[in-house]
Amino acid sequence: MMCCSHLAALGLLAQHEPLAPHTTLGIGGCATWWFRPEHEHALLQAMPMITKDMYIFPIGRGSNVLIADSGIDGLVLDLSDLNTLEVSGNTLFAGAGVRMGKIAQLAANSGLSGLEFMATVPGDLGGGVAMNAGAFGQQVSDVLQSVTVLYRDGQVQNLSRRDLDMRYRYTALPQGALILSATFELSHADAASVKQTMRSMRLKRSETQPLSLPNCGSVFKNPEGDFAARLIESVGLKGKQIGNASISDKHANFIVNQGDASCEDVLRLIRLATSEVKKATGIALELEVKLVGCSL
Ligand SMILES: Cc1cc2nc3c(=O)[nH]c(=O)nc-3n(C[C@H](O)[C@H](O)[C@H](O)COP(=O)(O)OP(=O)(O)OC[C@H]3O[C@@H](n4cnc5c(N)ncnc54)[C@H](O)[C@@H]3O)c2cc1C
């Protein structure tokens, strides 16, 4: 049993919380428990109150997850109030809950380069590190110095980038580790030109991605030397609709929610794209989006 009254004193606690509104795709059933600690210290105090066998799922902006219609049997941990953000010299420190767009803006205002791409990625710092987010030739691992993580037993540890074996959209986080914060080492640059770079990245995004409909970003990783979108388009699936979900007719590596789509609608599109691309090209597409409580 969780000590609910004690947890509720440390942040926002809800039972049977609908998860769809916590994701950019707008899909997902309820979480048994949902907890948003009011700051880092509250989370440290809360950890021992959560029963050891309770599954904990950390969520950021929910911008790269597909959550089952049956929801999550466990505790969804929302770290958006871990929102410290500071710059000192060329070092930037951010808490897990800071939006990446805000981080990019502070870096730009401080005349620091290396995180411009974050202006175009809708997630939070924790999700960005966990996914090794990147775009336009930059990625988190290029400039990450260290992360602080919390384990189920309450232990806090500082890990350097080398400990995390970061690769394209992959971070080897230790089992059960929750990212609390991260530190980046950036390069000094002219603030106006950093801002200009961010503006052109944003413009490119709005021209090429279906940003007016709920989506979860890239569904598949790009295979070495190719693009998932090109492969899906080449098998004629651009615009394909199943139920209320469709493969975007603007960018074939995006699946959009046309309104009330179910997780199963999206899974069926994923299965179809995977099998058609494999049949036509021999290439096995690998998921970038994280499946939570569901499987292919
Ligand atoms: C319109 C759009 C454009 C996008 N463009 C890009 C892009 O250009 N490049 C790119 O890389 N991605 C892109 N994405 C995908 C997504 O924004 C990134 O993967 C982002 O890093 C996810 O952050 P999040 O906070 O939303 O994480 P979530 O989706 O909430 O979670 C993703 C994973 O990270 C884990 N996680 C989250 N927080 C923590 C934490 N504190 N500790 C441990 N694990 C944690 C979750 O458990 C989950 O497994 C895009 C998405 C959308 C909707």
Side-chain angles (χ1 to χ4, degrees):
M1 283 279 286
M2 286 202 302
C3 303
C4 301
S5 55
H6 292 127
L7 269 196
L10 295 168
L12 289 172
L13 180 70
Q15 202 171 2
H16 307 307
E17 172 75 6
L19 292 173
H22 295 287
T23 71
T24 55
L25 188 56
I27 291 177
C30 291
T32 321
W33 292 99
W34 179 84
F35 179 53
R36 178 172 162 177
E38 57 191 14
H39 41 63
E40 185 177 309
H41 186 61
L43 174 62
L44 300 183
Q45 286 178 284
M47 211 45 152
M49 299 175 191
I50 303 169
T51 43
K52 294 288 165 252
D53 57 354
M54 170 85 63
Y55 170 63
I56 297 182
F57 180 76
I59 197 164
R61 175 62 190 95
S63 64
N64 216 184
V65 287
L66 173 61
I67 299 178
D69 298 319
S70 55
I72 298 180
D73 180 14
L75 180 131
V76 172
L77 191 56
D78 174 343
L79 299 182
S80 47
D81 286 332
L82 274 60
N83 52 15
T84 307
L85 179 60
E86 351 181 283
V87 160
S88 165
N90 69 333
T91 301
L92 184 147
F93 173 90
V98 184
R99 283 280 142 85
M100 285 192 265
K102 202 170 164 192
I103 296 175
Q105 201 57 54
L106 176 66
N109 291 342
S110 313
L112 294 172
S113 171
L115 292 174
E116 290 86 336
F117 77 97
M118 283 195 175
T120 67
V121 184
D124 292 347
L125 181 274
V129 173
M131 300 296 299
N132 192 16
F136 300 100
Q138 298 179 322
Q139 57 186 348
V140 165
S141 56
D142 295 341
V143 284
L144 182 74
Q145 192 180 57
S146 62
V147 293
T148 303
V149 296
L150 169 67
Y151 296 98
R152 282 303 286 267
D153 63 2
Q155 190 202 343
V156 174
Q157 190 182 22
N158 201 49
L159 299 170
S160 78
R161 181 184 54 209
R162 279 182 304 281
D163 298 321
L164 297 171
D165 186 23
M166 295 172 85
R167 287 175 256 143
Y168 169 59
R169 304 296 173 270
Y170 173 81
T171 301
L173 272 181
Q175 180 71 24
L178 299 168
I179 296 162
L180 297 177
S181 59
T183 303
F184 296 92
E185 204 174 320
L186 304 173
S187 320
H188 289 289
D190 172 53
S193 75
V194 174
K195 287 179 191 172
Q196 181 51 42
T197 303
M198 281 165 33
R199 268 194 296 275
S200 31
M201 286 175 174
R202 278 199 209 98
L203 181 65
K204 181 126 197 257
R205 277 303 159 89
S206 62
E207 287 167 355
T208 56
Q209 294 183 349
L211 302 181
S212 60
L213 287 170
N215 68 78
C216 58
S218 294
V219 173
F220 298 101
K221 295 183 185 182
N222 286 322
E224 183 97 46
D226 211 331
F227 293 96
R230 190 198 73 75
L231 292 164
I232 296 165
E233 196 173 341
S234 75
V235 295
L237 288 176
K238 202 171 187 183
K240 171 76 184 172
Q241 182 156 355
I242 294 183
N244 285 319
S246 61
I247 293 180
S248 164
D249 53 14
K250 194 167 182 184
H251 191 310
N253 196 19
F254 277 58
I255 290 179
V256 293
N257 181 351
Q258 301 282 5
D260 244 3
S262 66
C263 175
E264 190 52 35
D265 294 338
V266 178
L267 288 173
R268 286 172 65 196
L269 284 171
I270 291 175
R271 288 184 201 115
L272 182 66
T274 309
S275 68
E276 291 301 300
V277 167
K278 176 80 179 164
K279 221 186 315 165
T281 67
I283 295 172
L285 288 175
E286 196 188 326
L287 281 180
E288 177 169 324
V289 66
K290 298 282 185 196
L291 303 186
V292 189
C294 55
S295 56
L296 286 178

